[in-house]
Amino acid sequence: QVQLVESGGGLVQPGGSLRLSCAASGSIFNIYIMGWYRQAPGKQRELVATITRDGRRNYRDSVKGRFTISRDNAKNTVYLQMNSLKPEDTAVYYCYAGSGGNDYWGQGTQVTVSS
């Protein structure tokens, strides 16, 4: 089992920045990929960014150049630096980990971009 705890969400004005953090604990030795998904009201959950154990990154097109995913393997933590935020980035952001063929999710953290 893997437990994921997110932090860093909040309210920000358009053009602002936020950094999300997700700390993994439990059976972390088999985690091969971590990342972030988001879900806006009335919409399906969608991939935002992922990073593999060897550092390969993947982003959805709408966040490329604005968001950066990184991980600190020593701290078992993944980060999402979000810059130039737009109202359409408003959603609940979920941390994700793939480990041993299983999917694990955090509880979600709200990000609201509004003036």
Side-chain angles (χ1 to χ4, degrees):
Q1 291 290 321
V2 174
Q3 294 79 44
L4 302 171
V5 178
E6 302 124 332
S7 61
L11 172 65
V12 64
Q13 292 186 342
S17 299
L18 282 174
R19 189 175 85 150
L20 306 182
S21 301
C22 173
S25 62
S27 300
I28 59 174
F29 51 89
N30 273 341
I31 294 176
Y32 57 88
I33 189 168
M34 294 186 72
W36 295 91
Y37 285 68
R38 67 187 182 189
Q39 188 167 19
K43 294 187 177 181
Q44 290 187 333
R45 191 173 295 189
E46 61 186 21
L47 181 148
V48 177
T50 59
I51 184 168
T52 62
R53 185 161 47 197
D54 60 357
R56 285 176 291 131
R57 295 169 171 83
N58 180 49
Y59 297 93
R60 72 178 300 103
D61 286 346
S62 63
V63 308
K64 287 180 180 177
R66 300 188 298 122
F67 291 11
T68 303
I69 191 169
S70 60
R71 66 190 290 174
D72 184 332
N73 289 331
K75 295 182 179 180
N76 302 312
T77 299
V78 65
Y79 304 95
L80 185 68
Q81 177 66 44
M82 304 185 293
N83 299 328
S84 302
L85 282 160
K86 304 176 180 180
E88 51 263 42
D89 295 317
T90 295
V92 178
Y93 283 68
Y94 295 92
C95 181
Y96 163 81
S99 175
N102 297 313
D103 298 329
Y104 297 93
W105 297 93
Q107 79 283 2
T109 185
Q110 178 70 46
V111 172
T112 302
V113 185
S114 175
S115 55

